[in-house]
Structure formats: C-alpha cells, structure tokens
Amino acid sequence: MIDVSTTPATNKSGPAAGRRRTYRPNAQYIPVLATLTLLIVMYTLGAVNYENFTHPSVILNLFTDNAFLMVVAVGMTFVILTGGIDLSVGAVIALTSTVAATLLQAGWPAGVVIPTVLLVGGVLGLGMGAVIHFFKVEPFIATLAGMFLARGVALLIDQNSIPITNGFWTGLAEARIVFEPGVYISAMALVALAVVAVAAVVLAWSRFGRNVYAIGGNADSALLMGLPVGRTRIGVYTLSGFCAALGGLIYSITTTSGYAGHGTGTELDAIAAVVIGGVLLTGGSGYVLGTVLGVLVLGMINTIVNFQSLNSWWARMAIGVLLFAFIVLQRLVTRRAK
Amino acid sequence: MTFLKNRLVWPVAMLALLLLCALIFSDGFFDIRIQDGHLFGTPINILRASAPLVLVAVGMTLVISTGGIDLSVGSVMAVSGAMACLIIGDLANQNSVGGVTLAVVAAIALSLVLGLWNGFLVAVLGIQPIIATLILMVAGRGLAQLITSGQIINVQSSPYKVIGTGFVLGLPVSVLIAVAVLVIAALLTRRTALGLLLESVGGSPVASRLAGIQARRLTIMVYVVSAACAGIAGLIYSSNVSSADGNNAGNLIELDAILAVVIGGTALTGGRFSLAGTALGAILIATLDTTAQAVGIPPETTLVFKAVVVVVLCLAQSPAFRARLFRRPAARPAARAEVPA
C-alpha cells in the first residue's frame, strides 16, 4: 500500500537542486535565510555600535528572556501551518500561571501542579479544536472565545498577583548552567530549546507533521487523500494549548508569580515571530527553525532598543516595519515560485 | 421552525434574554429620565457605550463583506485620538471651535491615510488582509505613542468634549454620530449597487474583476472607510476622557468589533453582510458589559460571561451544530469533513 502521508505536495526540492551548478537556495528556504541574515546584520550593527554588545551573555540572555515566547510560538507554528490561528495563547499563560500559583499556595506539591496545569492548557486547546472542527466555527472566533474564557477564569480565581514561594519553583528560577561568571544559560531556556528540538523532529519526520503540512496546503485534498484531517486539526490546537500552558509555567517560574494580567499581547508577539520566521499565514509552508529565528529577531530588537536606551514604542515600530518587509518578501518569493 | 433560520433570531433572543435578566434582577434598569433637557438612564448609557463599537463594527462589516479583515482599527483609534489631542493641546485657545475642527479634520485625514495604506497592502500588493492589517496593528500603537511622546495628553477643550459627552435635542452626540454613519452606510450599500458589488468581491474577486467590477478600487475603499470609522470612534473615545492615551485607546476593540460582526450573521469568509445585524451585535456586546454590572455580576467575571455568550451564540448559528442538535436529514453530509479515526 502506498503511504500517501509521506509525500507532501509542498516539497519541491530534489531534481532541480542537483542540476544547477551555481548554488541557488530552494524558494522555501529564502524567508528563513532572510531572517537569519537579518539576525546576523542586527547583531553586527549592535556589535559595531555598542560597547559590551559582543559579550556572550547578550546572546544567552536572548534565549533566557524569550524562553516562554519560544515555546508558545512553536505551538502557534503548528496551528498556523494548518492555516488556522490561536488567539488564546496569551490568556492561557495568564490562566496557567494563576492556577499554578493558587495550587502551590494551597500546599499542593510541584510534582502534581505541573501535570495539572499542562492538562488544563491541553484540554482547553482540545475543546477549541473540537469546536472548530465539528461545528465549523472560525478558528479566529473559537480561539477568541477561548481567550475570553481563559482570562476570565484567571480573573475569577484571583485578580491580584500571587507570589510563588514553593522551593521547587524558586529553585528552577535560579537553576542555570554557568559557563563563567555572568555568562549562563537558564534551565528554562534549555526547556524551550528541548521543546523546539522535539517540535522540529515531529514536524519534519512524523506522520502527524506531514499531515499538518498537507492540511495547510489544501484541506480538501488532504481529506480526499484519506488523511485524518479532523484528528490532526484538533491535535494542533491541543498542542498549541499545551505549549501555551508550558509557556505559562515558564513565565510563572521566571517571574515566580501568577497573575491574570500575565501574557497580555503574547499572541501578537507569537504570530509576529512566526511570520518573521517565514511561515506562511495561509498555511502549508514554514519551519520551526524559522519561528525560533523570528523569536530571536524580536528579542534582538528589544536588546538594541535597550542598548540605545530608546523608548519601547520604537521597538513596536521596528517590529511593524520588519513584519512589512518580511511579508513583502514572502509575497515576492511565492509569486516567483509560481 | 423556519424563523429559526433567520440569522438575526439568535442575537435578538440573546439581547431579549439579557434585558429580561436586567429587568428581573436590577431595580430601575429601564428608568429613563430627562434631566437638564437631556436623556439619562441605563439604556442611554448602553447606547453611549456602544457608539464607538458600532462605528468600528460598521467599517469592519464592509471589510469582512469583501472577504477581508481589519485588525488595525484599535491602533487607528489610538492614532486618531493622539493626533487630535496633540493639535488641540498646542492651540492658544483650546476652546476655539475652528481649532478643534481643524484637529478633528486632521485626525480623520490621518486615519484615511492609514486606511489607504492597509488597502494598498491588500489590494495592490495582494497580501492576506489579516497579516497586512497586523502590521499597522503592531506599528500603529507605536505611532500613537510617538505622536504623544509616550505621555497621556490631557486637553481642556469644551468644543472637543461635545463629541463624546455632548447632547443635541436631548440625545447624546456620540450616539447620533454612530447612527448617522450606520444610516449612511446602509443607504449607500442597500439603496445603490455598492452592497451587491462588495458581496460580489467577497464571493470571488477574480470573477468580479472579469465581470467588469473594479475589485481593486472597492477593496481599497472598504479599508479607507473602516479606518475613517475607527478614526471617528477614536475621537469619541478620546473626547470622552478628554485625553489621548496611546496604550489603552481602542485596546482589543478589533476583537469586539469582529465579534459583533459575526454575531450579526456576517460570515468571516465574505460575500454576505448585514449592517443591521452588526449594529445589533455591537449593542449586544455593550449590553453584556452593562447588564453584568447592573445584575451584580462582579466585573472580573464579565469575561467568562462573555465567553459563554460567544460560545452559545456561535454554536446556535453554526449549521453543523444545529444539524446535530435537531438531527435534520437536510444537513449536507458531503460538507462534513469528518474522517473515521
């Protein structure tokens, strides 16, 4: 029997790449390469203009400061690859950090709280995915309702910021691998990198990953090919909810607090990171690695804005301009590919 | 059961239910009294609170009817309010009507330019609307803060205050503005061919173009109109609080506006729209907030309440859900994308 799920329609590499003598990157890689180039250019500019910019801690802090965003954006990548969108991630961060802090305050052990919280995020994602798939509600609206629900429940639990004094939590917040004094990578950054690695492998080499690309390319064709469209679609929203919950845990660990106001606007940052990373919002094309580069670009913008001691609105403007540049680039690339 | 098929039945039922709850659980909810020649009372407050949302949602309806979406409306509101307050703040006499008029015109003109930018991205460069307007959504708030230098600009201008808090013939000016825009939009789309053309573009831009419809021009136009509506809403908001706040003006209003449009029975895929439904949806959302307070639901639970209402309404409107609920054989089985697991 022919296994259709392993021959994605989007893969155009292979014969053409071998024939050409000069190196020309596959059109699919251009956005990712552009993001990488941008990151290098930004780093070089920073290194030339500011003292201490080349200190290794600058790069390591990018990972530490953006660990939660990286995890959330990875989940968002799966959703966007199927052509959907998940607006609830920021609210899920708020909900999970609040639930975690409340349970810990009530004396629950960390070993129970962590799975509980991850389950909450996963179930919320599952619910949204089911509503989207079975009742044909637009992803935009269904996840919007999820956003209201998650933040509402978080507010219902507690409107104030709850400090976390649990030893495991504060221990994790301090846990880090120190290379030399002042140069370290935090445990949370390592968690984020592990999530990225697993996600990249799943997306590239698993049947689920190929199904995600197939649905994003054309859901009707995927259905006609006999792919499990429903299971995959519900799966990506569950995955995104799970990743958002994990992001919320990381957020609560780095800030050692739970608050219903945490993660406001994170959904926008995650979507921006995914787009800058070269994932097509129509679905079907893009890589987890691109998303990681997108997160790093956002982090680098904030770093440069800090070094220049500019106001934060310049960072927003810069992100807007970059979004514009990358979207136009994608447009040019996809047009040429046709 | 045919009346259940009308798309406006469910929002109307929900609104009636909400008002019924308010009637039972809150004393004097429907008291409207005349004070100093002006109408006062909770229903009037609901209308006043819903005015900016109705404005934004009317623009959003037109955009969605062409199959697009405009995420930048909240940012445009912030920019418009910031621009107006900047000009008024620099006036020698903040109470001069001419100066305020200039500020209002400049703010709306700037909104039009922002709308033109969105339209250019969508119609000329062919970028997906949700991403094209995401750019301005992110950058617009930066722009608003750039205009106000990151401060909250306070103004003391009585002509400017009229836009948000004034009364004409006993009716609030902001409500009159919203109704006027709604009526103009309804007349232009339903008494001329414009509405049909918009729906045609939403149905299929290519087919419309081949049929001789200026799809590109129409697309640019709806984004400009949407930005103009958002600009006016921004003026109402900023006039209400006599200040410009680049961070909070119109925060998350794009979501409420899209919600209002969807509740009103306009499909996000385009090709069909209902301005009356949108106005109803916007009023429903404003009523939701006000009723929650009046009934005594604590403000922090309003979001949960809203989520429940959204889920119930969307499910009630979803053909797939209704088919399952009523087990009607008419549900097209071919359209179901289910695969045995």
Side-chain angles (χ1 to χ4, degrees):
Chain A
M1 187 184 158
I2 301 163
D3 190 355
V4 280
S5 66
T6 55
T7 53
T10 49
N11 195 346
K12 295 192 197 89
S13 68
R19 250 184 282 126
R20 291 201 186 104
R21 278 185 197 151
T22 51
Y23 174 70
R24 194 178 293 174
N26 187 317
Q28 281 184 71
Y29 298 138
I30 290 178
V32 178
L33 289 175
T35 315
L36 187 63
T37 314
L38 176 78
L39 196 61
I40 295 170
V41 167
M42 282 167 74
Y43 185 73
T44 317
L45 279 178
V48 169
N49 284 325
Y50 312 111
E51 251 179 280
N52 298 332
F53 201 86
T54 47
H55 198 265
S57 65
V58 169
I59 292 184
L60 291 176
N61 281 347
L62 273 185
F63 287 93
T64 303
D65 296 343
N66 296 299
F68 80 100
L69 183 59
M70 210 174 273
V71 173
V72 171
V74 163
M76 184 72 84
T77 309
F78 279 81
V79 173
I80 289 182
L81 277 176
T82 65
I85 201 154
D86 188 352
L87 296 179
S88 70
V89 290
V92 171
I93 288 181
L95 177 63
T96 49
S97 74
T98 313
V99 169
T102 314
L103 292 182
L104 289 171
Q105 216 172 30
W108 289 40
V112 180
V113 170
I114 291 176
T116 312
V117 161
L118 292 178
L119 192 68
V120 168
V123 167
L124 189 70
L126 181 76
M128 291 187 299
V131 168
I132 290 165
H133 176 67
F134 290 118
F135 303 132
K136 311 271 177 306
V137 176
E138 301 265 356
F140 198 94
I141 297 298
T143 57
L144 179 63
M147 170 187 178
F148 287 151
L149 186 69
R151 212 175 275 286
V153 171
L155 278 168
L156 207 59
I157 295 173
D158 205 321
Q159 295 174 62
N160 302 313
S161 181
I162 315 161
I164 297 177
T165 50
N166 182 293
F168 186 69
W169 241 254
T170 48
L172 271 182
E174 293 299 317
R176 56 192 58 171
I177 299 173
V178 180
F179 298 107
E180 56 181 273
V183 181
Y184 62 86
I185 187 157
S186 72
M188 290 305 105
L190 294 177
V191 170
L193 289 177
V195 169
V196 166
V198 171
V201 168
V202 166
L203 197 55
W205 287 301
S206 80
R207 206 169 274 197
F208 175 75
R210 306 320 295 174
N211 290 345
V212 167
Y213 280 113
I215 292 177
N218 189 330
D220 292 335
S221 310
L223 188 68
L224 292 175
M225 283 164 73
L227 298 183
V229 172
R231 216 191 315 156
T232 309
R233 191 173 276 156
I234 296 174
V236 293
Y237 287 97
T238 314
L239 186 73
S240 176
F242 177 84
C243 283
L246 188 59
L249 277 182
I250 295 177
Y251 203 97
S252 74
I253 287 169
T254 46
T255 59
T256 57
S257 69
Y259 178 41
H262 277 337
T264 315
T266 301
E267 57 278 354
L268 272 187
D269 283 342
I271 295 170
V274 171
V275 171
I276 291 178
V279 180
L280 276 186
L281 268 174
T282 38
S285 170
Y287 303 94
V288 170
L289 183 65
T291 300
V292 173
L293 292 176
V295 172
L296 292 181
V297 165
L298 292 188
M300 192 66 92
I301 291 174
N302 283 324
T303 312
I304 289 179
V305 164
N306 276 340
F307 265 85
Q308 185 74 40
S309 50
L310 286 171
N311 282 310
S312 61
W313 60 79
W314 284 106
R316 308 217 63 159
M317 299 279 280
I319 294 170
V321 170
L322 279 186
L323 270 177
F324 171 64
F326 273 87
I327 288 159
V328 171
L329 176 80
Q330 281 189 356
R331 190 70 206 151
L332 291 176
V333 168
T334 48
R335 195 174 277 177
R336 201 185 302 152
K338 279 172 191 170
Chain B
M1 294 285 272
T2 46
F3 74 95
L4 282 178
K5 284 185 183 159
N6 189 324
R7 306 185 132 253
L8 293 187
V9 164
W10 294 105
V12 167
M14 188 62 86
L15 190 60
L17 191 70
L18 276 177
L19 293 177
L20 192 69
C21 284
L23 187 68
I24 295 170
F25 293 110
S26 145
D27 290 332
F29 188 85
F30 288 99
D31 284 356
I32 298 179
R33 58 188 188 282
I34 295 176
Q35 200 171 316
D36 308 330
H38 305 154
L39 286 174
F40 279 97
T42 314
I44 303 295
N45 284 343
I46 292 177
L47 288 180
R48 275 184 58 185
S50 61
L53 187 56
V54 169
L55 277 169
V56 170
V58 164
M60 187 72 82
T61 310
L62 299 181
V63 171
I64 289 180
S65 74
T66 66
I69 202 160
D70 190 352
L71 296 181
S72 69
V73 285
S75 295
V76 173
M77 273 179 74
V79 170
S80 149
M83 190 67 193
C85 286
L86 181 75
I87 295 178
I88 293 173
D90 284 346
L91 288 176
N93 173 18
Q94 292 199 359
N95 287 326
S96 80
V97 176
V100 171
T101 312
L102 178 76
V104 167
V105 169
I108 293 178
L110 183 60
S111 308
L112 292 177
V113 172
L114 294 179
L116 207 57
W117 163 258
N118 278 338
F120 171 77
L121 291 185
V122 174
V124 180
L125 294 188
I127 299 172
Q128 249 185 295
I130 191 168
I131 323 174
T133 54
L134 180 71
I135 298 172
L136 195 56
M137 180 187 185
V138 173
R141 284 206 185 272
L143 185 63
Q145 283 173 326
L146 200 65
I147 293 175
T148 63
S149 324
Q151 313 286 319
I152 295 178
I153 302 183
N154 291 305
V155 292
Q156 259 98 42
S157 164
S158 45
Y160 189 56
K161 266 194 95 67
V162 168
I163 301 173
T165 57
F167 286 86
V168 169
L169 302 172
L171 291 168
V173 173
S174 54
V175 175
L176 291 177
I177 294 175
V179 170
V181 169
L182 182 66
V183 168
I184 292 172
L187 285 181
L188 279 181
T189 51
R190 291 309 184 202
R191 288 283 168 259
T192 72
L194 190 61
L196 190 68
L197 298 184
L198 289 178
E199 287 178 337
S200 142
V201 172
S204 169
V206 178
S208 314
R209 194 171 51 79
L210 293 178
I213 296 170
Q214 298 266 11
R216 184 174 285 185
R217 201 188 289 171
L218 280 171
T219 310
I220 296 179
M221 189 203 77
V222 289
Y223 285 95
V224 171
V225 170
S226 168
C229 288
I232 299 172
L235 290 176
I236 292 178
Y237 179 89
S238 113
S239 151
N240 241 332
V241 291
S242 287
S243 66
D245 181 352
N247 251 334
N248 293 324
N251 196 16
L252 295 183
I253 200 169
E254 55 280 342
L255 300 181
D256 274 345
I258 294 168
L259 202 57
V261 173
V262 172
I263 290 174
T266 300
L268 276 185
T269 42
R272 166 159 65 173
F273 71 97
S274 158
L275 283 171
T278 296
L280 195 64
I283 292 171
L284 179 62
I285 292 172
T287 313
L288 206 61
D289 292 335
T290 317
T291 319
Q293 283 169 20
V295 173
I297 295 175
E300 63 268 17
T301 58
T302 316
L303 271 179
V304 179
F305 192 41
K306 214 163 167 177
V308 171
V309 172
V310 173
V311 169
V312 170
L313 256 181
C314 285
L315 288 186
Q317 288 182 340
S318 150
F321 181 76
R322 274 196 263 168
R324 274 169 187 250
L325 198 66
F326 298 123
R327 297 256 168 235
R328 269 188 304 203
R332 302 143 290 167
R336 289 200 194 165
E338 288 162 50
V339 167

